Amino acid sequence: GHVGVSHCVGDRGDHRRAEAMLANVVEPFAGPIETRVSRESIVEYLTVAAPDHDLVLIGASRDRSKASRLISPPTFERIETLETDIAIVDRH
């Protein structure tokens, strides 16, 4: 199969830092793993990318403030109409 690892930084995120983080994530594994950093929001990115994949794993955010949660619904609520299987991973 094909494995890809992506990170969405938005239009103000640190692209180089995200690339380094992804390199660290995939480094322990053998085989070709595509890495991609996107300036789109995660919802925009997954709307386009998710239908091409059998499974999408999303890391749970632990650094959202209460105010942020009131203003913007959690990602899982904004992507529930995607046409692919999604798993949310929390490293708690």
Side-chain angles (χ1 to χ4, degrees):
H2 176 79
V3 176
V5 180
S6 302
H7 184 68
C8 296
V9 295
D11 51 348
R12 296 183 186 177
D14 187 341
H15 201 273
R16 288 185 184 173
R17 183 174 170 207
E19 287 175 339
M21 184 267 302
L22 289 178
N24 288 335
V25 167
V26 303
E27 189 263 331
F29 303 98
I33 300 175
E34 175 188 5
T35 60
R36 181 178 299 171
V37 176
S38 175
R39 294 211 178 269
E40 297 175 297
S41 74
I42 188 169
V43 175
E44 293 169 330
Y45 179 77
L46 289 177
T47 299
V48 174
D52 294 333
H53 296 84
D54 295 325
L55 175 64
V56 173
L57 301 173
I58 301 173
S61 175
R62 299 184 140 276
D63 53 348
R64 289 191 66 190
S65 68
K66 289 182 182 180
S68 169
R69 292 173 196 263
L70 290 172
I71 294 171
S72 177
T75 300
F76 72 88
E77 289 179 0
R78 294 181 285 153
I79 60 170
E80 61 189 6
T81 61
L82 293 179
E83 295 294 326
T84 193
D85 291 328
I86 297 174
I88 300 175
V89 181
D90 185 1
R91 59 182 183 159
H92 179 69

